[in-house]
Amino acid sequence: MGLATAARCGPELASPDGIEAQTCVLTRGRETWARTYYRNATGDSLTSVLTLLAPGGRTVRMYCAAGADDEPGMCETPRERTAGDASEYSAIAEFAKSAEGADGPLLLRSGSNSPVQNAR
């Protein structure tokens, strides 16, 4: 049997602009990585940045494109050897419109340790 993957996820969030996301920290054995699940219903292609924050101030950052096709998508950082306690890791995903190669306005920020909201 293979090792189980543990996931610590923040809540599913949605912006009025049409982007939905949930961000998680995943751990399997001695590896830890970040993953965000998203759906882009904005009608525009977006840029996203997924950052894994590790103990001791270390970070791993991944840039992903979120197509305008309104299909579920996923962005994931590379896996790294877990340093210290896996519960000390967190992740943040940010989605923004692209404006001629520069970052546009932030549409949604989703975190693995975001507080859960009971009402929308």
Side-chain angles (χ1 to χ4, degrees):
M1 283 266 156
L3 296 172
T5 301
R8 287 183 300 103
C9 300
E12 294 179 26
L13 300 176
S15 77
D17 299 300
I19 183 81
E20 302 171 4
Q22 182 178 34
T23 302
C24 305
V25 172
L26 302 159
T27 304
R28 180 185 303 146
R30 296 293 299 154
E31 292 182 320
T32 301
W33 66 100
R35 180 184 293 164
T36 190
Y37 302 96
Y38 64 86
R39 178 176 224 128
N40 177 12
T42 65
D44 296 314
S45 293
L46 305 177
T47 58
S48 67
V49 179
L50 175 60
T51 305
L52 176 66
L53 302 132
R58 294 180 33 236
T59 61
V60 176
R61 185 169 287 164
M62 189 70 177
Y63 294 87
C64 299
D69 54 11
D70 192 23
E71 292 296 321
M74 179 184 72
C75 179
E76 190 172 273
T77 65
R79 297 173 188 207
E80 68 168 37
R81 184 165 178 82
T82 305
D85 188 349
S87 67
E88 295 178 22
Y89 284 77
S90 61
I92 298 170
E94 296 178 314
F95 294 84
K97 286 189 178 181
S98 296
E100 297 178 14
D103 289 333
L106 181 66
L107 300 178
L108 182 68
R109 179 178 289 134
S110 169
S112 63
N113 60 349
S114 300
V116 175
Q117 299 174 349
N118 293 327
R120 283 194 170 183

